[in-house]
Amino acid sequence: MADTVPDRGEAQASGYAWYVLGILFLVYVLNFVDRQIISILAEDIKRDLHLADEDLGFLYGTAFGVFYSLFGIPLGRLADNWHRGRLMVIGLALWSTMTALSGLSRSGGHLAAARIGVGIGEATASPSAYSLISDWFPKRLRATALSIYSAGLYVGGGVSLFIGGLIVQNWNRAYPGGGPLGLVGWQAAFMAVGLPGLLVALWIATLKEPIRGAVEGLPPPPKHPAPFAEFGRELVTIIPPLTLIGAAMGGTRALAINLLAAGITVAAVLGLIGAGEPWPQWTAVGIGVYAVFSWGCALKRRDPATFALIVATPAFVLTVIAYGLNAFLAYAASFWAAPYALRVLHAAPAEAGFFIGASGALGGFLGVTLGGIVADRLRRTNPAGRLIVVLFGAVAPLPFMATAFTASSTWLLYPMLFIGQVCAATALGAAAATTQDLVLPRMRGTATATFFIGTTLLGLALGPYLAGRVSSLSGSLSTGMLSLMLSAPITIAAAIMAYRLVPRAEATREERARAVGEAI
């Protein structure tokens, strides 16, 4: 599969580019089927494995999300330096296998280990896909293309609930005491959705690799001589305790700063545990925070241009925060909607899976696609126009989500979830395209991985867990969800500040990169 020059025309993308986008969309559908199916299975898992609501939030969000974000950085770097299609093949095979193995879990610990494996595998997908899409589509279509790809999130999440609800209900009816191999419904569901990904991995292996930057008329960056050695060097900057090796490579001062950060993190985690908080949740979050700090320090030493355009660019960081806090509420709602319908409103699994899944798939697809189109149109006349859509995605869903999680009937819950999902989903393509525009082509995989740190550490690792924790403490799942809306003022402030800073940050992109040694 030789490198291919994409269509350079600003007016349109090639037919092959749209073909690639369709396959990547399917991969993202599988990504979220495997990630989201635990929602419709949560009540059965809770009963069989003797778990609490915060444990479910940990399994869905933190166990998956922390390791997804940590491995996303070195895998994003590998996507920048190696063949992106091959990387996706490896990742898809890994996360599909780990999803299937989730069906063999006999304890919360076993399921947590499998979810960690799913997170590591899925960390290959979006850095590779965002980079490929950005090299197949011209800038004027980039938010639209990224939004179509991102719609796989909602389609996959919706399909997973429908399929999962059908499997668990029918399996348990057919085998009330457990079926073949002693599997109960939720275990069979994990296996049924995991195995097809292995076939799709073979299809991904046929994709051509575009030349980086050609669609923008930029000279291709030189081919990296040792991408896996660079991947290894990146691992020691972010995966504890290898981070101590990475810090030591930067000298005594770098090691001292790293040890100080580790000490502060350990003290904070011990304080939370001492206050009665569950140790798995905050240990995992502490590992994530410390690891990202270690990576940022190492990136500044090893690649000052990438550091300057990502970590040291307030416009980039604020965009990540704004969308990360949007995801804080959205991820919690997408996970807890099915348990709310089953537990509070006493819906049947198949019914809840169908209506919540269908509304999530359709609402998310419409929201993210329309949001991307509107964001691109606003961008034509306003360099910061896409941030208007991000701000809309932070504010508009709030009344609908509040109504959904206080509903006394499924016929109010389902439409409110649908409208809230449409509104929340508009922000994704706009935020993603903004971060891609703020970096150079060779940095897009790393930029994508950094973008997803906000989505995972702020959104996925905290939102579902905190809703579950407040639910356990208050005895009310409604209270757990409503409490998350207190984050809205911070989301709005971050989006407004990003709106003010993005135009200059994009205009000075090359200048700031050259100032720290980038050869352009």
Side-chain angles (χ1 to χ4, degrees), residues 43-302:
E43 292 298 285
D44 284 7
I45 293 172
K46 178 181 180 180
R47 181 195 64 233
D48 291 349
L49 302 185
H50 310 292
L51 304 177
D53 278 354
E54 59 261 36
D55 299 322
L56 295 175
F58 170 78
L59 287 170
Y60 171 73
T62 315
F64 171 92
V66 167
F67 291 90
Y68 176 84
S69 63
L70 294 195
F71 279 86
I73 296 293
L75 289 169
R77 193 70 160 180
L78 188 57
D80 284 337
N81 295 329
W82 191 53
H83 196 289
R84 291 162 283 189
R86 292 172 190 164
L87 181 59
M88 292 187 75
V89 169
I90 296 169
L92 178 53
L94 174 60
W95 91 63
S96 298
T97 300
M98 297 306 292
T99 299
L101 290 177
S102 298
L104 300 178
S105 298
R106 303 294 180 182
S107 70
H110 292 163
L111 186 52
R115 293 288 292 174
I116 290 170
V118 174
I120 294 171
E122 290 195 9
T124 64
S126 285
S128 300
Y130 274 48
S131 183
L132 285 168
I133 290 169
S134 294
D135 280 327
W136 278 116
F137 287 85
K139 184 179 289 188
R140 63 175 294 273
L141 293 174
R142 195 165 291 152
T144 300
L146 287 171
S147 294
I148 292 172
Y149 165 75
S150 299
L153 180 164
Y154 303 102
V155 174
V159 167
S160 74
L161 297 183
F162 176 58
I163 293 176
L166 280 178
I167 293 174
V168 74
Q169 184 169 308
N170 291 324
W171 185 280
N172 287 341
R173 181 184 296 127
Y175 306 106
L181 303 178
L183 300 178
V184 294
W186 64 267
Q187 294 174 311
F190 274 125
M191 290 189 168
V193 301
L195 296 177
L198 299 176
L199 298 177
V200 178
L202 299 176
W203 193 6
I204 295 295
T206 67
L207 295 182
K208 300 175 184 177
E209 184 82 356
I211 294 177
R212 300 174 194 265
V215 74
E216 296 179 45
L218 297 174
K223 188 174 182 178
H224 198 285
F228 285 95
E230 181 69 16
F231 172 68
R233 286 191 289 270
E234 202 73 31
L235 280 178
V236 303
T237 69
I238 195 167
I239 304 300
L242 300 177
T243 44
L244 296 176
I245 299 173
M249 293 168 63
T252 303
R253 183 173 182 273
L255 179 59
I257 292 173
N258 189 277
L259 289 171
L260 177 62
I264 293 172
T265 304
V266 169
V269 170
L270 290 176
L272 287 166
I273 295 172
E277 284 294 298
W279 71 265
Q281 166 69 19
W282 297 109
T283 299
V285 170
I287 288 171
V289 171
Y290 160 71
V292 171
F293 174 83
S294 297
W295 169 78
C297 292
L299 182 67
K300 185 176 183 180
R301 296 193 303 269
R302 297 168 55 237

Side-chain angles (χ1 to χ4, degrees), residues 219-471:
K223 188 174 182 178
H224 198 285
F228 285 95
E230 181 69 16
F231 172 68
R233 286 191 289 270
E234 202 73 31
L235 280 178
V236 303
T237 69
I238 195 167
I239 304 300
L242 300 177
T243 44
L244 296 176
I245 299 173
M249 293 168 63
T252 303
R253 183 173 182 273
L255 179 59
I257 292 173
N258 189 277
L259 289 171
L260 177 62
I264 293 172
T265 304
V266 169
V269 170
L270 290 176
L272 287 166
I273 295 172
E277 284 294 298
W279 71 265
Q281 166 69 19
W282 297 109
T283 299
V285 170
I287 288 171
V289 171
Y290 160 71
V292 171
F293 174 83
S294 297
W295 169 78
C297 292
L299 182 67
K300 185 176 183 180
R301 296 193 303 269
R302 297 168 55 237
D303 191 345
T306 298
F307 179 88
L309 296 190
I310 295 178
V311 181
T313 297
F316 189 105
V317 174
L318 287 165
T319 301
V320 170
I321 291 173
Y323 183 72
L325 290 175
N326 175 297
F328 177 78
L329 178 61
Y331 272 123
S334 67
F335 177 68
W336 287 111
Y340 184 85
L342 298 176
R343 183 189 310 174
V344 179
L345 305 181
H346 309 294
E351 175 204 306
F354 175 76
F355 284 104
I356 296 175
S359 65
L362 179 59
F365 182 86
L366 289 175
V368 76
T369 303
L370 293 174
I373 293 171
V374 171
D376 277 340
R377 290 183 177 176
L378 291 172
R379 173 68 173 74
R380 294 174 190 173
T381 56
N382 180 355
R386 289 173 177 151
L387 272 301
I388 297 173
V389 178
V390 175
L391 185 59
F392 174 84
V395 176
L398 297 178
F400 303 107
M401 291 300 184
T403 303
F405 284 94
T406 53
S408 58
S409 166
T410 56
W411 300 111
L412 180 59
L413 171 69
Y414 298 149
M416 290 298 100
L417 286 173
F418 172 75
I419 299 171
Q421 190 74 275
V422 171
C423 295
T426 57
L428 178 52
T434 297
T435 59
Q436 293 287 298
D437 288 345
L438 292 174
V439 300
L440 300 176
R442 77 168 182 84
M443 305 170 183
R444 284 178 177 148
T446 304
T448 303
T450 308
F451 174 70
F452 277 96
I453 286 176
T455 304
T456 53
L457 289 184
L458 286 177
L460 189 55
L462 292 179
Y465 167 79
L466 289 175
R469 182 62 172 156
V470 174
S471 172

Side-chain angles (χ1 to χ4, degrees), residues 494-520:
I496 292 173
M497 288 188 285
Y499 177 85
R500 294 175 176 175
L501 295 174
V502 158
R504 176 165 176 77
E506 184 176 352
T508 61
R509 182 181 70 172
E510 284 81 5
E511 175 188 339
R512 289 182 293 116
R514 279 194 293 266
V516 290
E518 184 76 3
I520 302 177

